[in-house]
Amino acid sequence: MIMASIYGNNIKISIFGQSHSEAIGVVMDGIPAGIKIDVQQLQAFLERRAPGRSALASQRMESDVPEFVSGLIDGVTCGAPLCAVMRNTDVRSEDYLKIRDVPRPGHADYTAFVKYNGNNDHRGGGHLSGRLTAPLCIAGGICLQILEQKGIEIGAHIAEIAGVSDEAFHPVNVCSDTLKAVKNKDFPTLCDETGNIMKAVILSAKNDGDSVGGIVACAVIGVPAGLGDPIFDGVENRIANIVFGIPAVRGIEFGNGFASTLLRGSANNDALYAEHGAVKMRSNNHGGILGGMTSGMPLLFRVAVKPTPSIAQAQESVRLRSDGGAGFTADRAEIKVSGRHDPCIVPRVVPCVEAAAAIAILDMMI
Amino acid sequence: MIMASIYGNNIKISIFGQSHSEAIGVVMDGIPAGIKIDVQQLQAFLERRAPGRSALASQRMESDVPEFVSGLIDGVTCGAPLCAVMRNTDVRSEDYLKIRDVPRPGHADYTAFVKYNGNNDHRGGGHLSGRLTAPLCIAGGICLQILEQKGIEIGAHIAEIAGVSDEAFHPVNVCSDTLKAVKNKDFPTLCDETGNIMKAVILSAKNDGDSVGGIVACAVIGVPAGLGDPIFDGVENRIANIVFGIPAVRGIEFGNGFASTLLRGSANNDALYAEHGAVKMRSNNHGGILGGMTSGMPLLFRVAVKPTPSIAQAQESVRLRSDGGAGFTADRAEIKVSGRHDPCIVPRVVPCVEAAAAIAILDMMI
Amino acid sequence: MIMASIYGNNIKISIFGQSHSEAIGVVMDGIPAGIKIDVQQLQAFLERRAPGRSALASQRMESDVPEFVSGLIDGVTCGAPLCAVMRNTDVRSEDYLKIRDVPRPGHADYTAFVKYNGNNDHRGGGHLSGRLTAPLCIAGGICLQILEQKGIEIGAHIAEIAGVSDEAFHPVNVCSDTLKAVKNKDFPTLCDETGNIMKAVILSAKNDGDSVGGIVACAVIGVPAGLGDPIFDGVENRIANIVFGIPAVRGIEFGNGFASTLLRGSANNDALYAEHGAVKMRSNNHGGILGGMTSGMPLLFRVAVKPTPSIAQAQESVRLRSDGGAGFTADRAEIKVSGRHDPCIVPRVVPCVEAAAAIAILDMMI
Amino acid sequence: MIMASIYGNNIKISIFGQSHSEAIGVVMDGIPAGIKIDVQQLQAFLERRAPGRSALASQRMESDVPEFVSGLIDGVTCGAPLCAVMRNTDVRSEDYLKIRDVPRPGHADYTAFVKYNGNNDHRGGGHLSGRLTAPLCIAGGICLQILEQKGIEIGAHIAEIAGVSDEAFHPVNVCSDTLKAVKNKDFPTLCDETGNIMKAVILSAKNDGDSVGGIVACAVIGVPAGLGDPIFDGVENRIANIVFGIPAVRGIEFGNGFASTLLRGSANNDALYAEHGAVKMRSNNHGGILGGMTSGMPLLFRVAVKPTPSIAQAQESVRLRSDGGAGFTADRAEIKVSGRHDPCIVPRVVPCVEAAAAIAILDMMI
């Protein structure tokens, strides 16, 4: 039960709230003093994650405007912990009353019931809801702005939906223009045509009362060489540690990742060369990380996102009954998740991955 | 530079040493008192990782016998931190003298040079060497014994070498016998015939002065439901955090991982059912983890291991020259890594993955 | 800048807010699920710390009622982090405008100016204000309730004001009745007559535009033997670590503390004896802690609180002027702190010390 | 059982070993690369703590020469964790056999027995022995050298033995010469005559088979303003956290500490003034720390050390008998501690306090 919702060595991010509690939010401890936060830019970033924006996403409407109750004076950090609070308003807890004791397959309902002995907030997934990525994005959005001032840029795109693949970032030459262009799209793919096919795939699943998953690819450019630490505190360790905090993430790979296992060393190694006295590499299979430390090449990683477990179809489950003590019994049950759900969470995971990367990288630089 | 070589919330593992330093070792803080450690069983476990055992592995011969200088009295833990020291004996640092300033492609030589401003121990990869997985295995081997006493068993196998796939653990029914059988093999694959093909692939690469990579699959059985914590301290976060501490790991996936992105939610969700009042699941795509917490089903994950970067072929690199200050310049150079290297590190990674999983899981249980 | 406002190994307390920010508050991560919190009892505890209650304290009037925006469902913890937010209402920032650049002697104004390069919130001491003990008391008040359910009770009293000494807790026999009785007093001394003398001393200082300090003594009963850990994580280390988080604390001693240095070992050692097979001690010079671990005897410690630095008298100071870069220059200045201040903070520190002890001890037990 | 023997945010110190184990030692993680360690100077520092040097100290003779098995190449740090191992040689475990089940009053024998259910290493106090301050001094001695390169100096002296007081450091003007002079003395007091009286007091106690305690005062000069963090991570919190890791410490106070409670605010506040544009203070009651952050004035603190609990006189105790389960029973017993003990530990605590301060301060600066 330790540090469950806290991340970071230098910047500490403490996330609180449940899907249907009074509010959700985040405390950020360790942001340097004297930094101007562009609240409007932050809000634009949060919009990318917010629900209710399109037919492809949940119809829950949240204003998703954080109130900074501490740490900011006239938009400038004062060195004290930042706390942002975001009220939950469009809550329909009654959707969850009837399924209180029937865990939704693919969700954390059952594991949370066991862990918290039935005391967990089951409404909308409680503390384990995807809604908790909103405070992650508040923290990440702030880190993104600070990194930008240091010449570091982060961008992600939808690399795959249900097997339909977008183009990939160029591993060596991915540049600021590319990252900016894809981020400003409503449906962030490099190739718009592929994006349209993906949208059709998502709508088709939606029409079937079903859902699909996909892969998000992320690039970080401008990172100096030598960040990160050996063994347990390498760049991969830290990014993986925070990225698995995004619900529905099932895998992560750096550089050419799992595909590297198909290459021989001679093909997988990235040759070094000198250009005007500086060190560069001819290829970037290593994804900008060697021995847990950044190489100065673009940092690249990919994240697997499973299909949304909430689907409209009937599913087999159980009805849990507390036995009065610490245990419980279970009977056969069927469940149909009504509520308002995303047929595909991948587009909304894109900014979350950027946020997570930003927090991890800024944490290493301070 | 924080906590670089330290892992854990409850059990703290602090790893020290370099490939060619006087010794390597580990301090374990937090192991409960009164636990009998079977030193012979630990040694057998360490043998599985040790070099010099076959034509497929590095010919460096290390006795790899840890001396416990503290924390154990007559083989029983006394509550004080355990410290195990392992002397480096078969060291041939001269192999590294001539490549001191020429970073090996695919290795951490360049990133460590930048980070430590050229003061890093370059001999054999220094602190970033695969040799540092020996202390990881000491710690992990002890955790494995403690977990076994709690009815938890961990086993891994070579799932893939250069695209050649072994059979997979049965995601629902994987049992103790299977884990024990595969662990006792010299070349741990479920299917021996496939194992022989893999060996041939490795030897062929070796003959070409080249190397290959692969995938390690790991199963943990007997884990109770409800372990792990939400958001940043889930089971995936913690296992990923330690597994990326093993050199050459480039990716990790839980359950059906990246393959989950090809399924619809209705196919990917694992239906729950009641059997004699207990909750079970009909399938195990979720790999035993939902919302960061264990479900009581077998815990399953897979790890991508890149081809060994040390190869005998000539490669393009640079010669680094410190400029007297904090910077350096670089000239064109060529490198041929002689030394004694593994044409494929995957078989030796297998026990390391078991060790890492054991530490992560015991850390969550104490 | 690490973990500045975060405490705890198992229960993580993250405090946010400034004296004059929108709100102050606390996030508690790690409180077990299923615990009933008595909000009325918590409010009564917070009242003991709140300002504006008597002529002896600051006249700032704050309602000091926390809103729990997460973690509680119908007054019962659900396992998710608790977040309590407390609005700042009776704020008079104009009092601080004229002294913005003139650090108040004895306050953190100067050190914060240097650390945060003038960006710190200077109003009312910002994040370093005594007001931040309110969220500490929210967290502590909750821990006190949980400890009470485990049979552990904590009580503190004013042991000294400006050299005037109260009676002491009986080191061996201090009991629940004594703790309860002193806690319910408006002015918590064991001896009321001494309390009246102390009050007179405080009022006399107030009339002179001056202030006084004192000592708070704290007892914890019902603690089982064997809590705490060796070396850096002993009971003293942990309690000291949190108690120095209360502004104005300048020293701490356990058991007979500094007075132990006047005794010989034969007099200072506490003899052990057996009573009905149980181990007890004839005296309690060790204050319930030996080798960093609890002995089962009452846990006793004393805390030195300096006189409130805010006084109405004119004091010599400087006027700071940023030099545009990271530095500044200083000129001679005089300061008279108007605002609303406590002539003696000690009575309000009493519940803060109880809160701090409760957090430290519960953190060790979970 | 968390982080028991680990300290630090940026530099992690992990201490291992027991009084009579094969070896004791320390792992330091986070020391920057490229720092030259003067091993001879380190050895001279360790000599100040070592036993067997005078009639006033334990007659146990240990060479106390650390072997650096990792992290150092030709005396220069390479960025990898430093591990220093020190063999225990002059061990007489038989002294402890007969008192195995009879806890020594004033020692941690009883609390450790309860905590570790009788599995703890009882020989010479095990992991809780004062001998474990040797690795603390190795780490601290290295930090002292690094701080010296940054212009920061630390010195401590015996401020009191059994009520006999030495002169005090000048709180404003304490200088390098004073610190150096007192450190080089065999018996580190500012006034040698007082030192002679103290020695007589110690010998008199020794002749009676008894022991005495005292106070150590420490000064740190050259510390820049603005170090340390608010609330839980202030300079006091961090120094207290590590200083209570030295056995026998019962209290700590900063600046005028407990004596501040006797002053009015007007007398206790330290006036600020400008000199050539820089900020200074006319007095230093605050001991160089305000609001948890350094002020640039000398950092001053005092540490209470209880009389050595090991005395030659007969004392009342109990004989513990495990009941086979997790409990035990106790009978009346008498104990006479033979072994080799210090009649006064204070002189040997002096370098330990310097070491602890050095680690805490360097940890804040990196």
Side-chain angles (χ1 to χ4, degrees):
Chain A
M1 215 163 302
I2 295 157
M3 290 197 286
S5 305
I6 298 181
Y7 175 85
N9 289 331
N10 297 304
I11 298 174
K12 297 271 171 188
I13 305 290
S14 177
I15 284 178
F16 58 86
Q18 301 113 252
S19 185
H20 292 204
S21 61
E22 293 302 311
I24 58 177
V26 64
V27 180
M28 300 179 75
D29 204 341
I31 295 293
I35 291 180
K36 175 100 197 140
I37 305 299
D38 183 331
V39 176
Q40 221 167 332
Q41 187 183 338
L42 177 63
Q43 197 58 43
F45 179 69
L46 296 178
E47 293 295 323
R48 291 175 54 205
R49 191 217 67 90
R53 267 49 179 181
S54 94
L56 298 172
S58 161
Q59 294 307 300
R60 177 170 172 176
M61 283 300 305
E62 291 285 0
S63 65
D64 270 5
V65 178
E67 180 197 13
F68 285 94
V69 300
S70 72
L72 274 189
I73 302 183
D74 301 332
V76 177
T77 59
C78 68
L82 267 83
C83 178
V85 175
M86 211 183 244
R87 296 276 154 182
N88 286 323
T89 51
D90 184 20
V91 162
R92 287 186 1 209
S93 301
E94 64 280 7
D95 286 350
Y96 293 92
L97 258 180
K98 50 192 168 194
I99 58 168
R100 197 200 154 96
D101 306 321
V102 183
R104 295 167 296 168
H107 272 287
D109 297 350
Y110 173 64
T111 54
F113 184 95
V114 173
K115 181 173 190 72
Y116 302 111
N117 197 20
N119 294 291
N120 59 304
D121 187 351
H122 72 288
R123 302 164 304 168
H127 186 54
L128 300 153
S129 164
R131 179 140 180 77
L132 273 292
T133 55
L136 183 78
C137 283
I138 298 172
I142 289 171
C143 293
L144 280 167
Q145 293 190 19
I146 300 174
L147 288 173
E148 217 174 67
Q149 293 169 22
K150 296 174 189 282
I152 296 172
E153 233 174 307
I154 300 180
H157 70 110
I158 303 173
E160 239 181 83
I161 294 285
V164 179
S165 297
D166 190 19
E167 290 164 21
F169 287 134
H170 190 288
V172 171
N173 295 325
V174 54
C175 66
S176 175
D177 288 349
T178 309
L179 299 184
K180 280 200 175 62
V182 75
K183 280 199 278 193
N184 285 329
K185 295 184 184 178
D186 278 343
F187 194 85
T189 50
L190 294 171
C191 167
D192 290 335
E193 258 175 280
T194 311
N196 288 332
I197 300 171
M198 290 175 175
K199 283 186 218 173
V201 167
I202 296 171
L203 282 173
S204 150
K206 189 186 180 188
N207 290 337
D208 298 348
D210 215 328
S211 65
V212 288
I215 295 173
V216 174
C218 184
V220 190
I221 57 173
V223 184
L227 282 189
D229 292 283
I231 310 200
F232 303 126
D233 232 10
V235 178
E236 297 105 326
N237 311 246
R238 298 196 211 202
I239 289 180
N241 199 26
I242 188 165
V243 163
F244 280 112
I246 303 170
V249 169
R250 302 320 317 278
I252 190 166
E253 57 181 358
F254 294 86
N256 59 355
F258 279 87
S260 75
T261 66
L262 304 174
L263 299 178
R264 282 192 163 193
S266 55
N268 193 58
N269 287 348
D270 302 303
L272 296 97
Y273 69 101
E275 196 172 71
H276 311 306
V279 172
K280 301 203 168 170
M281 300 194 197
R282 301 235 180 253
S283 50
N284 188 12
N285 289 323
H286 70 291
I289 311 169
L290 285 170
M293 293 171 288
T294 53
S295 68
M297 298 293 284
L299 205 155
L300 303 168
F301 66 93
R302 284 158 45 97
V303 173
V305 180
K306 73 175 180 185
T308 325
S310 287
I311 55 175
Q313 299 178 14
Q315 294 178 84
E316 183 185 7
S317 184
V318 294
R319 182 170 303 277
L320 302 170
R321 264 182 249 281
S322 170
D323 66 2
F328 57 89
T329 56
D331 297 319
R332 148 196 286 270
E334 191 174 80
I335 190 166
K336 236 175 165 163
V337 184
S338 47
R340 296 161 295 179
H341 303 289
D342 299 76
C344 180
I345 201 77
V346 180
R348 293 177 62 198
V349 169
V350 169
C352 299
V353 167
E354 296 172 5
I359 295 169
I361 289 166
L362 186 61
D363 186 49
M364 286 187 279
M365 298 188 71
I366 285 190
Chain B
M1 215 162 304
I2 298 156
M3 289 199 287
S5 305
I6 299 183
Y7 176 86
N9 289 329
N10 297 305
I11 299 173
K12 297 271 171 188
I13 306 290
S14 176
I15 284 179
F16 59 85
Q18 300 113 250
S19 185
H20 292 204
S21 60
E22 292 303 312
I24 58 176
V26 64
V27 181
M28 302 179 74
D29 202 340
I31 294 292
I35 291 180
K36 175 103 197 139
I37 305 298
D38 183 330
V39 176
Q40 219 168 334
Q41 185 183 339
L42 177 63
Q43 198 58 46
F45 179 68
L46 295 178
E47 292 297 323
R48 291 175 53 205
R49 191 216 68 91
R53 267 49 179 184
S54 93
L56 297 173
S58 162
Q59 294 308 303
R60 178 170 172 173
M61 284 299 306
E62 293 285 1
S63 64
D64 270 5
V65 178
E67 180 197 12
F68 285 94
V69 299
S70 71
L72 275 189
I73 302 183
D74 303 332
V76 177
T77 59
C78 68
L82 266 83
C83 178
V85 176
M86 211 183 245
R87 296 275 155 186
N88 285 324
T89 50
D90 184 20
V91 163
R92 286 186 2 208
S93 301
E94 64 280 7
D95 285 350
Y96 293 91
L97 258 181
K98 50 190 168 194
I99 58 166
R100 197 201 154 91
D101 306 320
V102 182
R104 296 167 294 167
H107 271 288
D109 296 350
Y110 172 64
T111 54
F113 184 95
V114 174
K115 181 175 191 72
Y116 301 112
N117 198 19
N119 294 293
N120 57 302
D121 188 351
H122 71 288
R123 303 165 301 171
H127 187 54
L128 300 153
S129 163
R131 178 136 181 82
L132 272 292
T133 55
L136 182 78
C137 283
I138 298 172
I142 289 171
C143 292
L144 280 165
Q145 293 189 19
I146 300 174
L147 287 174
E148 216 173 69
Q149 293 169 21
K150 295 174 188 285
I152 295 172
E153 229 174 311
I154 299 180
H157 70 110
I158 304 173
E160 238 181 83
I161 294 285
V164 179
S165 298
D166 189 20
E167 289 165 22
F169 287 135
H170 191 289
V172 171
N173 295 326
V174 53
C175 66
S176 174
D177 288 348
T178 308
L179 299 184
K180 281 202 173 60
V182 76
K183 282 200 278 193
N184 284 330
K185 296 185 183 177
D186 278 342
F187 194 85
T189 50
L190 293 172
C191 167
D192 290 335
E193 258 176 278
T194 310
N196 288 333
I197 300 171
M198 290 175 176
K199 284 187 216 170
V201 167
I202 296 171
L203 282 173
S204 151
K206 189 187 180 187
N207 291 337
D208 298 348
D210 215 329
S211 65
V212 289
I215 296 173
V216 173
C218 184
V220 190
I221 58 174
V223 184
L227 281 190
D229 293 284
I231 309 200
F232 303 127
D233 233 8
V235 178
E236 298 105 325
N237 311 248
R238 299 197 210 202
I239 288 180
N241 199 28
I242 188 165
V243 163
F244 280 111
I246 303 170
V249 169
R250 302 320 315 280
I252 190 165
E253 56 180 1
F254 294 86
N256 59 353
F258 279 86
S260 75
T261 68
L262 304 173
L263 299 179
R264 283 191 161 191
S266 56
N268 193 59
N269 286 346
D270 301 304
L272 296 96
Y273 69 101
E275 197 171 74
H276 310 306
V279 172
K280 301 203 168 169
M281 300 194 200
R282 300 237 179 251
S283 49
N284 188 12
N285 290 323
H286 70 290
I289 311 170
L290 284 171
M293 295 170 287
T294 53
S295 69
M297 298 293 284
L299 205 155
L300 303 168
F301 66 95
R302 283 158 45 98
V303 174
V305 180
K306 72 175 180 185
T308 325
S310 289
I311 55 175
Q313 300 179 12
Q315 296 178 85
E316 184 186 7
S317 184
V318 293
R319 182 168 303 276
L320 302 170
R321 264 181 248 281
S322 173
D323 64 4
F328 57 89
T329 56
D331 297 318
R332 149 195 286 272
E334 193 176 74
I335 191 165
K336 239 175 159 166
V337 186
S338 47
R340 297 160 295 179
H341 303 290
D342 302 78
C344 181
I345 202 76
V346 179
R348 292 177 61 199
V349 169
V350 169
C352 299
V353 167
E354 295 172 4
I359 295 169
I361 289 165
L362 186 60
D363 186 49
M364 286 188 280
M365 297 189 70
I366 283 187
Chain C
M1 214 162 304
I2 297 158
M3 289 198 287
S5 306
I6 298 181
Y7 176 86
N9 288 332
N10 297 305
I11 300 175
K12 297 271 171 188
I13 305 290
S14 178
I15 285 178
F16 59 85
Q18 302 113 252
S19 185
H20 292 203
S21 62
E22 292 303 311
I24 57 177
V26 64
V27 180
M28 302 180 74
D29 203 340
I31 295 292
I35 292 180
K36 174 102 197 140
I37 306 298
D38 183 330
V39 177
Q40 220 168 335
Q41 185 183 338
L42 176 63
Q43 198 57 45
F45 179 68
L46 295 178
E47 292 295 323
R48 290 175 54 205
R49 192 217 67 92
R53 268 47 180 183
S54 93
L56 298 172
S58 161
Q59 294 308 301
R60 177 170 171 175
M61 284 299 305
E62 292 285 1
S63 65
D64 271 4
V65 178
E67 180 198 11
F68 285 93
V69 299
S70 72
L72 275 189
I73 301 183
D74 301 333
V76 176
T77 59
C78 67
L82 267 82
C83 177
V85 176
M86 211 184 246
R87 296 276 156 182
N88 285 323
T89 50
D90 184 20
V91 163
R92 286 184 4 208
S93 301
E94 64 281 8
D95 287 350
Y96 293 91
L97 258 180
K98 50 191 169 195
I99 58 167
R100 196 197 155 96
D101 306 320
V102 183
R104 295 166 296 168
H107 272 286
D109 296 350
Y110 172 64
T111 53
F113 184 95
V114 174
K115 182 174 191 72
Y116 301 112
N117 197 20
N119 294 293
N120 58 305
D121 188 350
H122 71 288
R123 301 164 304 168
H127 187 54
L128 300 153
S129 163
R131 178 139 181 77
L132 272 294
T133 54
L136 183 78
C137 283
I138 297 172
I142 289 171
C143 292
L144 281 165
Q145 292 189 19
I146 300 174
L147 288 173
E148 218 173 68
Q149 293 169 19
K150 295 174 187 286
I152 296 172
E153 231 174 309
I154 299 181
H157 70 109
I158 303 173
E160 239 182 82
I161 294 285
V164 180
S165 297
D166 189 20
E167 290 165 20
F169 287 135
H170 191 289
V172 171
N173 295 326
V174 54
C175 66
S176 173
D177 289 349
T178 308
L179 299 184
K180 281 203 172 61
V182 76
K183 281 200 277 193
N184 285 329
K185 293 184 185 180
D186 278 343
F187 194 85
T189 51
L190 294 172
C191 167
D192 290 335
E193 258 176 278
T194 310
N196 288 332
I197 299 171
M198 290 176 176
K199 284 186 216 172
V201 167
I202 295 172
L203 281 174
S204 151
K206 189 189 180 185
N207 290 337
D208 298 347
D210 216 330
S211 66
V212 289
I215 295 172
V216 173
C218 184
V220 189
I221 58 174
V223 183
L227 282 190
D229 292 284
I231 311 200
F232 303 126
D233 233 11
V235 178
E236 298 105 325
N237 310 247
R238 298 196 209 202
I239 289 180
N241 199 27
I242 188 165
V243 163
F244 279 111
I246 304 170
V249 168
R250 303 320 317 279
I252 190 166
E253 57 181 0
F254 293 85
N256 58 355
F258 279 86
S260 76
T261 67
L262 304 173
L263 300 178
R264 283 189 161 192
S266 55
N268 194 58
N269 286 346
D270 301 305
L272 297 95
Y273 69 100
E275 197 172 71
H276 309 306
V279 173
K280 301 204 168 168
M281 301 194 198
R282 302 235 178 253
S283 49
N284 188 12
N285 290 323
H286 71 290
I289 311 169
L290 285 170
M293 294 171 287
T294 53
S295 69
M297 299 291 285
L299 204 156
L300 302 168
F301 66 95
R302 283 158 47 97
V303 173
V305 180
K306 72 175 179 186
T308 324
S310 288
I311 55 174
Q313 299 179 13
Q315 294 179 83
E316 184 185 6
S317 184
V318 293
R319 182 171 302 275
L320 302 171
R321 263 183 250 279
S322 171
D323 65 5
F328 57 88
T329 57
D331 297 318
R332 148 196 287 270
E334 192 174 74
I335 191 167
K336 238 174 158 165
V337 185
S338 46
R340 296 160 296 180
H341 302 290
D342 301 75
C344 181
I345 202 76
V346 180
R348 293 177 62 199
V349 169
V350 169
C352 299
V353 167
E354 295 172 4
I359 296 169
I361 289 166
L362 186 60
D363 186 49
M364 286 187 280
M365 298 188 71
I366 284 186
Chain D
M1 214 162 303
I2 298 156
M3 289 196 288
S5 305
I6 299 183
Y7 176 86
N9 288 330
N10 297 303
I11 300 172
K12 297 270 170 189
I13 306 289
S14 177
I15 285 179
F16 58 85
Q18 302 111 251
S19 185
H20 292 205
S21 61
E22 292 304 311
I24 58 176
V26 64
V27 180
M28 301 179 75
D29 203 339
I31 294 293
I35 292 180
K36 173 104 199 139
I37 305 299
D38 183 331
V39 176
Q40 220 168 335
Q41 185 183 337
L42 177 64
Q43 198 57 46
F45 178 70
L46 295 178
E47 292 297 322
R48 291 175 54 205
R49 193 217 66 90
R53 267 51 179 181
S54 94
L56 298 172
S58 161
Q59 295 307 301
R60 177 169 172 174
M61 283 299 306
E62 291 285 0
S63 64
D64 270 4
V65 178
E67 180 196 12
F68 285 94
V69 299
S70 72
L72 275 189
I73 301 183
D74 302 333
V76 177
T77 59
C78 67
L82 268 81
C83 178
V85 175
M86 212 184 242
R87 296 275 155 186
N88 286 323
T89 49
D90 184 21
V91 163
R92 289 187 359 211
S93 301
E94 64 280 9
D95 286 350
Y96 293 90
L97 258 181
K98 51 190 167 197
I99 59 168
R100 197 200 153 93
D101 306 321
V102 182
R104 296 166 296 167
H107 272 286
D109 297 350
Y110 171 64
T111 54
F113 184 95
V114 173
K115 180 173 192 71
Y116 301 111
N117 199 18
N119 293 292
N120 58 303
D121 187 351
H122 73 289
R123 303 163 302 168
H127 187 54
L128 300 153
S129 163
R131 178 139 181 78
L132 272 292
T133 56
L136 183 78
C137 282
I138 297 171
I142 288 171
C143 292
L144 281 165
Q145 293 189 19
I146 300 174
L147 287 174
E148 217 172 67
Q149 292 169 20
K150 295 175 188 283
I152 296 172
E153 232 174 307
I154 300 181
H157 71 110
I158 304 173
E160 241 182 81
I161 293 287
V164 180
S165 297
D166 189 18
E167 290 164 20
F169 286 135
H170 190 290
V172 172
N173 296 326
V174 54
C175 66
S176 174
D177 288 349
T178 309
L179 299 184
K180 282 203 170 59
V182 75
K183 281 200 278 193
N184 285 329
K185 294 183 184 180
D186 278 344
F187 194 85
T189 50
L190 294 172
C191 168
D192 290 335
E193 259 176 278
T194 311
N196 288 332
I197 300 171
M198 290 176 175
K199 285 187 216 169
V201 167
I202 295 171
L203 282 174
S204 150
K206 188 187 180 185
N207 290 338
D208 297 349
D210 215 330
S211 65
V212 288
I215 295 172
V216 174
C218 184
V220 189
I221 58 173
V223 183
L227 282 189
D229 291 283
I231 308 198
F232 304 126
D233 232 10
V235 177
E236 300 104 325
N237 309 248
R238 298 197 209 201
I239 290 181
N241 200 26
I242 188 166
V243 163
F244 280 111
I246 304 169
V249 169
R250 302 320 316 280
I252 190 166
E253 57 181 1
F254 294 85
N256 59 354
F258 279 87
S260 74
T261 66
L262 305 173
L263 299 178
R264 282 188 163 193
S266 56
N268 193 59
N269 285 348
D270 301 303
L272 296 98
Y273 69 101
E275 199 172 70
H276 310 305
V279 173
K280 301 204 166 168
M281 300 195 199
R282 300 236 180 254
S283 50
N284 188 11
N285 289 324
H286 71 290
I289 311 169
L290 285 170
M293 294 170 286
T294 53
S295 69
M297 299 291 286
L299 206 157
L300 303 167
F301 66 93
R302 284 157 45 96
V303 173
V305 180
K306 72 175 181 185
T308 325
S310 286
I311 55 175
Q313 300 178 13
Q315 296 177 84
E316 182 184 8
S317 185
V318 293
R319 182 169 303 277
L320 302 170
R321 264 183 248 281
S322 171
D323 65 5
F328 57 88
T329 56
D331 297 317
R332 151 193 285 271
E334 193 175 75
I335 190 166
K336 239 174 161 168
V337 186
S338 47
R340 297 160 294 180
H341 303 289
D342 300 78
C344 180
I345 201 78
V346 181
R348 292 178 62 199
V349 169
V350 169
C352 298
V353 167
E354 295 171 4
I359 295 168
I361 289 166
L362 187 60
D363 185 50
M364 284 188 280
M365 297 188 71
I366 284 187

